[in-house]
Amino acid sequence: MIHCDAPGLTPVTEALEHILSSVQPVTQKESIALRDACGRILANDVISPVQVPPQDNSAMDGYAVCPADTDRYQLVGTALAGHPFAGVVQPGQAVRIMTGAPLPVGATTVAMQENAQVEGDVVTFSTLKDGDNIRRAGEDIALKSVVLTAGRRLTPSDCGLLASIGVSDIQVHRPIRAALLTTGDELVEPGRPLADGEIYESNSFVLLPVLQKLGAEVRNSSRVADDLETIKAELSRAASWADIIITCGGVSVGDADYTRLAVESLGDLSLWKLAMKPGKPLAFGQVGESLFLGLPGNPVSSLVTLHQIGLPVLRTLAGESVRLPLRIPAKAASLLRKRPGRTDFQRGVASLSAEGELVVESAGQQGSGILSSVSRANCFIVLEQERGRVEAGEQVMIEMFDQWLL
Ligand code: AMP
Ligand code: MG
């Protein structure tokens, strides 16, 4: 057991780097149909077996022309997409051609139909420039070029790209298996009445959709009792199946923080006090063959920690090459309260001012239990660890909410 909680706080980037160094991606791969591949993680580089487009073709509806020293071109045929012109275009001849149709042999330019005048089988052009309006063979993708690299989470346009090179099946990493445990005797399933001292369990309603968006297979145990043996039994059961166990709550140093004790007795645990706000306590370790990630219990802390630390961990585990979220400068529209010592991930609302400037204001109360400000927000205002309060007009960095939070 390593304790990283003393002395002081660990910067977020340092903790993340340390944690990621012990995450190995799942190695099993599976072959799936391209139609099912969006959102999956590519297991191998994809090398194109063809060039795209396969041959020179027309970028316009118009006339494919073999230029000659004449004003009057003889119309000798038609080329449609899927129906090429079979002959050879001689100097002084033109072929009616539609967008996407292969460029006939002999033609070296395509004239737009807007620049053509037709009389019977004679066509004249107001302008004609060699090489115009032709999409060249291979201009999109060259033969044997690397089209996509391993570790990429496939987007809709990636799937289109793969289809354009004729790929029908693709090797991806198998989905990760994530077990989610929420602990706390005070937690009640929404829909039931609350007794004195109880609150509704809400964290799993944030965490589960994120895990589902990631494409993870998920098993959820909500509202596990604050009891050491119960939590140990749940963790052991989860560890026999999951690649990663995620808990929320029970990892600080309170009297009923049994999750930490349970993991310490079953496996390895590093306890981090992160220099971030919200979300100070974070536990990371191993139970059996499973990774263990213990998020804080406070709803906003749990969400922010999941976003900043949990997502890179889960995505790396899934085999994805992770790029950290883009941070962009914006102008604070109002005062932002902050004390030096921790990196703040305040919830903000970013917009363009009437002058076209990117501005950001606080989304409201910034307490670690105030979920309503997260719902109002569209970005994190990331305030550096050593920074104090921010006056209106100062520059701050923001991170727009990404696909995982929207
Ligand atoms: P803990 O870390 O277990 O001490 O929890 C810190 C705070 O977060 C307490 O106020 C808990 O009631 C609250 N909390 C913990 N887990 C959840 C949950 N799943 N849903 C809503 N609130 C929670
Ligand atoms: Mg608790």
Side-chain angles (χ1 to χ4, degrees):
M1 181 187 51
I2 318 157
H3 272 292
C4 307
D5 49 343
L9 306 175
T10 311
V12 183
T13 44
E14 197 181 300
L16 181 60
E17 207 174 294
H18 203 283
I19 288 171
L20 285 180
S21 69
S22 54
V23 179
Q24 296 303 321
V26 291
T27 50
Q28 292 103 319
K29 301 171 181 179
E30 54 194 42
S31 183
I32 60 165
L34 182 62
R35 289 266 182 225
D36 301 322
C38 194
R40 301 295 300 269
I41 315 293
L42 205 53
N44 305 314
D45 290 355
V46 178
I47 293 171
S48 183
V50 295
Q51 59 176 352
V52 181
Q55 66 271 101
D56 291 355
N57 67 89
S58 178
M60 292 284 175
D61 293 339
Y63 295 87
V65 181
C66 182
D69 194 10
T70 178
D71 291 336
R72 296 165 61 77
Y73 283 82
Q74 195 198 352
L75 209 45
V76 293
T78 305
L80 303 176
H83 302 280
F85 175 72
V88 176
V89 186
Q90 304 294 339
Q93 293 184 337
V95 164
R96 176 85 172 120
I97 195 165
M98 298 300 152
T99 305
L103 190 72
V105 178
T108 57
T109 185
V110 171
M112 288 165 66
Q113 68 185 36
E114 290 82 346
N115 295 334
Q117 298 78 44
V118 187
E119 271 176 51
D121 64 353
V122 171
V123 56
T124 57
F125 302 107
S126 49
T127 64
L128 200 59
K129 195 161 144 259
D130 223 24
D132 263 5
N133 302 318
I134 297 170
R135 300 171 182 156
R136 294 294 173 190
E139 74 175 18
D140 183 359
I141 298 164
L143 181 68
K144 298 204 169 106
S145 60
V146 176
V147 173
L148 293 171
T149 49
R152 187 170 171 88
R153 184 177 293 273
L154 293 170
T155 63
S157 66
D158 293 340
C159 292
L161 191 63
L162 293 170
S164 80
I165 60 168
V167 166
S168 60
D169 298 278
I170 194 93
Q171 286 263 307
V172 293
H173 288 279
R174 74 151 168 82
I176 57 167
R177 296 191 278 259
L180 179 63
L181 262 69
T182 55
T183 62
D185 286 346
E186 75 282 27
L187 303 176
V188 173
E189 181 76 7
R192 305 203 170 175
L194 288 181
D196 192 27
E198 291 180 334
I199 59 165
Y200 289 118
E201 194 284 306
S202 61
N203 287 354
S204 72
F205 290 82
V206 176
L207 302 177
L208 273 175
V210 177
L211 292 170
Q212 280 156 357
K213 278 192 186 187
L214 278 165
E217 286 177 36
V218 187
R219 289 187 188 172
N220 179 33
S221 303
S222 268
R223 295 166 296 108
V224 176
D226 283 322
D227 170 74
L228 186 59
E229 291 311 314
T230 309
I231 295 175
K232 276 168 73 174
E234 283 287 343
L235 286 173
S236 302
R237 197 160 62 94
S240 67
W241 172 79
D243 300 306
I244 185 164
I245 302 170
I246 300 171
T247 63
C248 61
V251 294
S252 39
V253 288
D255 289 345
D257 288 328
Y258 296 114
T259 309
R260 179 172 52 83
L261 298 174
V263 177
E264 281 173 351
S265 79
L266 292 173
D268 290 320
L269 187 84
S270 307
L271 194 61
W272 299 84
K273 276 191 179 171
L274 299 180
M276 72 187 278
K277 192 179 171 197
K280 191 159 65 170
L282 179 87
F284 186 76
Q286 189 117 17
V287 179
E289 296 295 301
S290 299
L291 291 178
F292 171 83
L293 179 67
L295 302 174
N298 278 310
V300 183
S301 310
S302 134
L303 179 146
V304 173
T305 317
L306 175 77
H307 193 257
Q308 293 299 318
I309 307 274
L311 276 170
V313 167
L314 288 157
R315 294 168 71 191
T316 303
L317 182 65
E320 187 177 357
S321 316
V322 179
R323 257 187 282 158
L324 295 181
L326 184 66
R327 290 185 186 163
I328 48 178
K331 194 164 102 176
S334 57
L335 175 129
L336 302 169
R337 286 177 210 293
K338 159 126 181 23
R339 265 189 258 142
R342 300 205 248 163
T343 302
D344 268 23
F345 292 86
Q346 299 197 5
R347 280 68 68 208
V349 181
S351 61
L352 277 188
S353 70
E355 292 75 40
E357 195 175 23
L358 185 60
V359 293
V360 66
E361 60 187 339
S362 170
Q365 286 188 67
Q366 295 290 331
S368 59
I370 313 274
L371 263 184
S372 54
S373 347
V374 186
S375 283
R376 245 189 317 273
N378 64 7
C379 67
F380 289 119
I381 309 171
V382 186
L383 301 177
E384 300 78 358
Q385 191 165 336
E386 292 317 324
R387 196 160 181 180
R389 75 185 222 152
V390 175
E391 303 296 339
E394 283 186 40
Q395 181 178 291
V396 293
M397 298 306 280
I398 64 170
E399 235 183 77
M400 294 307 296
F401 282 179
D402 56 17
Q403 81 238 57
W404 311 111
L405 292 182
L406 295 174

